[in-house]
Amino acid sequence: RDPIHVVGGGLAGSEAAWQIARAGWPVVLHEMRPERRTDAHQTDGLAELVCSNSFRSDDAEQNAVGLLHEEMRRANSLIMTAADRHKLPAGGALAVDRDGFSGAVQAAIEAEPLVTIERGEVPGLPPAEWRSVIIATGPLTSPALSEAILSLTDEGALAFFDAIAPIVTRESIDFDIVWLQSRYDKPGPGGGTADYVNCPLNEEQYNAFLDAILEGDKTEFRDWEKSTPYFEGCLPIEVMAARGRETLRFGPMKPVGLTDPRTGESPHAVVQLRQDNALGTLYNIVGFQTKLKYGEQGRVFRMIPGLENAQFARFGGLHRNTFINSPRLLDPQLRLKAEPRLRFAGQITGVEGYVESAAIGLLAGRLAAAEARGELIDPPPAETAMGALHSHITGGADARTFQPMNVNFGLFPELGERFRGRDKQRRKRKAYSDRALAALAGWLGGETIAAE
Ligand code: FAD
């Protein structure tokens, strides 16, 4: 039996290797550390957490990432088993002892007879005799492998600097204030002339907003990130704001070609939002990549008329990253359409975060193991957290504006019922969660991979 090769022993690669071995198939896990290091990893351990030690909320009923934890536990995730074992007190969040966590992942993999760990960089395209490969080399994929991937994808570039604009849920936008219109009523790619949500600001509101951006608390770049230049096309809004009080009004907040139907006039400034997923449940704030801290983003962006009650599916950010344009390049089995022996998993597929990366590793491992046995399986249904993430990266997201995504309820298909009255958000989130766990049970179909 030809082993499956997993490249990268991070969150996704470790989970993928574990799932393959548990499914009874041999696997070789290639990790370049300690022979070659990244700019962020500090240790030689598998599944090292490079920054925070938090897996975020563990509330499976009310939070999409908590639901993802629970689904992964039910699918015998090694990452979740190790996290639960090395959990630290952190209120409703799942925080872990990072060394204990990484040590537990490594020990479990080393004890697994079907896994061979090979330390060393895969410095280019995996050799042709590796018939099934999972590339899980993360946001800091080594340059040699990045270039090789690029050569297969006819993309202009893998994204090396990740400029993330904030995303809000459509239902939290106040449509009594905003209006739908494309600039100069120009038809968009779908032919529509009302593709943008427009939020109007008068002069006083614009000035107050500008001051809030300039004074807001920002995240500092890490030393090694400072050497990566900005693309002029995706400057953070605070950098533009600092260039002059009118810069934003001539940049992403320009009002030309837009008429507020309530006044019949063009406002002083406009913030535009554009649909972000095929379901039409999420909208990104166009051109608003930022290094403002998350709490500050909530406060400052809710000053925008129409976004006073905005629910953020993802905050904006800017950091170095490597990810492929998955909606264009991958098939539903997570295989590269141009070379199907290569699967992708983890942050490099355009999901964001430890848990999301591990979840895609879990899926890639199961899909690859099934294929090796000669029985392709369907990915999980989109009603599950794993399925919602999977369908976002393999087609739900718009390939032209694809940016890394955290799991959130905005990615899930709408529920068939409307929720009104007290506690409606709570009840709605619980309904998403109940539906997801029922759908997951169907997918796992009783045929779960043997637990540790
Ligand atoms: P990784 O965990 O990075 O694993 C990839 C592995 O592949 C690494 O071990 C690397 O050494 C190896 N590798 C790379 N190239 C090769 C090669 N050619 N051959 C062999 N091995 C190779 N997410 C959060 O949820 N919270 C945070 O606080 C957070 N902070 C972050 C801070 C920074 C600076 C960065 C860059 C990312 C951060 N992230 C954070 C995102 C985080 O990296 C991912 O969520 C997660 O680690 C990705 O998992 P992964 O398995 O895809 O990649």
Side-chain angles (χ1 to χ4, degrees), residues 7-14 30-33 36-38 40-41 45 47-56 120-124 136-142 144-145 222 224-225 319-321 345-348 351-358 406:
V7 187
L11 278 294
S14 302
H30 302 262
E31 169 51 56
M32 70 177 182
R33 291 172 290 124
R36 193 187 166 104
R37 305 199 159 269
T38 78
H41 290 83
E48 176 183 336
L49 303 177
V50 284
C51 189
S52 137
N53 66 335
S54 173
F55 281 29
R56 318 202 307 278
E121 182 188 2
V122 175
T137 43
L140 306 170
T141 296
S142 72
L145 182 56
R222 290 161 170 252
W224 53 270
E225 284 179 318
H319 64 86
R320 209 169 83 174
N321 200 359
Q347 180 113 349
I348 198 168
V351 295
E352 174 81 28
Y354 301 141
V355 187
E356 288 85 343
S357 296
N406 284 128

Side-chain angles (χ1 to χ4, degrees), residues 299-364:
R299 184 180 67 79
V300 174
F301 296 150
R302 286 192 187 103
M303 292 169 72
I304 298 169
L307 301 188
E308 291 85 350
N309 298 309
Q311 293 293 325
F312 288 84
R314 190 188 69 191
F315 284 110
L318 208 72
H319 64 86
R320 209 169 83 174
N321 200 359
T322 308
F323 65 97
I324 60 170
N325 192 333
S326 295
R328 213 168 65 71
L329 298 173
L330 298 187
D331 73 7
Q333 289 285 321
L334 298 169
R335 294 175 302 203
L336 194 65
K337 290 176 195 161
E339 191 157 342
R341 75 184 174 106
L342 304 180
R343 268 191 176 74
F344 282 79
Q347 180 113 349
I348 198 168
T349 63
V351 295
E352 174 81 28
Y354 301 141
V355 187
E356 288 85 343
S357 296
I360 300 298
L362 185 151
L363 293 184

Side-chain angles (χ1 to χ4, degrees), residues 240-253:
M240 281 188 265
R243 288 184 175 180
R245 293 197 72 83
E246 293 293 286
T247 308
L248 281 174
R249 229 164 65 75
F250 286 94
M253 293 179 72

